[in-house]
Amino acid sequence: MTPLRVALEARFRRGGPIPDTAQGAALDHLARLADALVHRRATRGLFLWGGVGRGKTRLMACLDAVLPPAAIRRYPLNALLGAYHATCVCQPDWAARLDTLFGSARVLLLDEFHAYDPADALVLERLLAGVAERGMVCVVTANHPPDRLWPDTPEHRARRHHFAPVAQRLAAQCLLLEVDGGRDYRELLAAHGPLRWWSTTDATDRQAARRWLTATAGCARDFDELFCQPRPQRDYVRLAETAGGLLIDGFPRLTPRDGDALRRLVWCLDAAWDAGLALGVLAEAAPETWVAGIGAELDGLLGKDLARARSRLRALCRVDGAGVSAVDLAHEGRRDPR
């Protein structure tokens, strides 16, 4: 193995289980990409896709850790979109916007890539073109391959022409690699410890929730306040980055009518995961049943995003104990995206 491959695997092993076959193959590709960057050779990017909890974010964090900080610019997808729109306010020149977003970085790391909104797809295609123009490469993680980055609904199928260019751009600029050894490692880790998941009707549980909230200097928010009113994604990013802990009170059993609330919950959980924010929940339902009644249509619309949300929610609510938590695994080696 090359020194960079050895360093990547050593970093990966610090987070817990040894690489499975799919993760090992991804480490091989990341090592070749890192070697090309270090020696300033031309190379394609890498698009890592697969089921939830397969270690894709952890693999990306390993690359982040072994390359020089100045070479890396890392964004969760929602943060990149937010940063782009902020540059539109103060930077009318396209090249200046790219300078603000990427600086002198040579590789862009994008986590949890998706494209649900046609306007977002247009922005992302243009940004990827700008990355290529600057001689940068992308390393991307996603739950789907590029041609399935949007939900399979009649509305999205009718607008496929809006989404196809970003999928084509990703396929042209990146090697596509499936990372799926068939195991959700977050679920495995979350299964080994109790959850900060308390009953809304149990007085003892409410006391335990208050004690945890005091210990973390966190904040409590009602589910309806957080998710049943219109909010932009950036609100959840700000909350996740500033709170010491977050207690979600009144977490209900969701129904087919709760699609908007569930979409905002997915945004919140992605932001909490990116920030490593510990969560607690006061709920009406058990952790295994809160989405049991949403119906096939809503389940199909959200697809693997819902699976990711369920996996991340359990991991973020896991009580810390001996060993390495799922959040530790994902954030091993992570640097601030700015």
Side-chain angles (χ1 to χ4, degrees):
M1 282 193 263
T2 66
L4 277 170
R5 177 63 173 81
V6 171
L8 282 164
E9 181 157 334
R11 175 67 65 166
F12 191 91
R13 287 173 179 266
R14 282 174 53 180
I18 62 173
D20 62 26
T21 300
Q23 292 165 346
L27 287 169
D28 290 339
H29 285 286
L30 288 169
R32 286 192 283 272
L33 184 146
D35 187 73
L37 289 169
V38 168
H39 293 94
R40 297 192 173 273
R41 296 193 304 269
T43 185
R44 293 178 73 193
L46 192 60
F47 185 98
L48 305 174
W49 69 276
V52 300
R54 268 46 173 189
K56 301 181 298 296
T57 298
R58 184 177 164 200
L59 287 162
M60 178 179 281
C62 292
L63 181 66
D64 192 0
V66 302
L67 289 176
I72 298 286
R73 189 56 58 98
R74 183 174 183 175
Y75 285 100
L77 184 76
N78 293 335
L80 175 61
L81 289 169
Y84 167 78
H85 291 301
T87 65
C88 292
V89 176
C90 58
Q91 295 284 3
D93 179 71
W94 174 244
R97 289 183 200 174
L98 295 179
D99 285 340
T100 300
L101 290 170
F102 305 131
S104 60
R106 301 182 57 235
V107 58
L108 171 63
L109 307 184
L110 281 177
D111 209 11
E112 298 300 349
F113 198 99
H114 56 264
Y116 302 137
D117 183 273
D120 287 347
L122 177 64
V123 169
L124 291 168
E125 195 279 332
R126 192 178 183 200
L127 284 172
L128 289 170
V131 164
E133 290 166 6
R134 294 168 70 88
M136 297 172 64
V137 298
C138 292
V139 177
V140 180
T141 71
N143 290 137
H144 310 271
D147 62 353
R148 289 196 287 117
L149 289 171
W150 51 91
D152 186 20
T153 69
E155 179 182 359
H156 285 84
R157 286 196 294 272
R159 296 185 175 185
R160 189 182 188 282
H161 60 285
H162 293 293
F163 298 100
V166 71
Q168 294 163 0
R169 174 71 64 178
L170 285 165
Q173 292 180 208
C174 299
L175 172 69
L176 310 185
L177 183 67
E178 185 176 10
V179 181
D180 202 330
R183 305 178 75 187
D184 182 340
Y185 290 102
R186 282 197 300 262
E187 288 283 2
L188 289 173
L189 286 165
H192 293 303
L195 301 179
R196 291 181 291 264
W197 193 285
W198 301 287
S199 169
T200 55
T201 59
D202 188 290
T204 301
D205 275 6
R206 283 200 165 272
Q207 290 174 358
R210 284 197 294 270
R211 287 195 297 270
W212 173 74
L213 203 58
T214 300
T216 61
C219 60
R221 295 289 187 271
D222 184 82
F223 184 94
D224 287 351
E225 174 195 352
L226 270 178
F227 307 119
C228 296
Q229 303 171 21
R231 286 179 180 273
Q233 291 177 337
R234 61 180 176 272
D235 281 7
Y236 301 109
V237 174
R238 280 196 295 264
L239 176 62
E241 290 176 347
T242 57
L246 174 63
L247 176 67
I248 304 174
D249 198 352
F251 202 108
R253 290 181 176 87
L254 297 175
T255 72
R257 298 184 299 275
D258 294 318
D260 288 340
L262 189 49
R263 170 61 67 204
R264 296 182 192 112
L265 175 62
V266 169
W267 291 345
C268 181
L269 292 173
D270 285 344
W273 186 260
D274 292 331
L277 176 68
L279 299 183
V281 170
L282 277 161
E284 299 172 8
E288 299 79 15
T289 63
W290 60 273
V291 290
I294 64 171
E297 183 177 351
L298 188 53
D299 194 356
L301 175 66
L302 293 174
K304 287 186 178 179
D305 293 330
L306 180 57
R308 183 179 75 249
R310 295 176 66 182
S311 175
R312 287 184 167 183
L313 180 59
R314 286 182 61 85
L316 290 165
C317 288
R318 179 176 178 264
V319 175
D320 296 332
V324 181
S325 74
V327 179
D328 295 329
L329 291 182
H331 292 82
E332 176 69 22
R334 173 166 287 187
R335 289 192 285 259
D336 189 294
R338 294 291 184 180

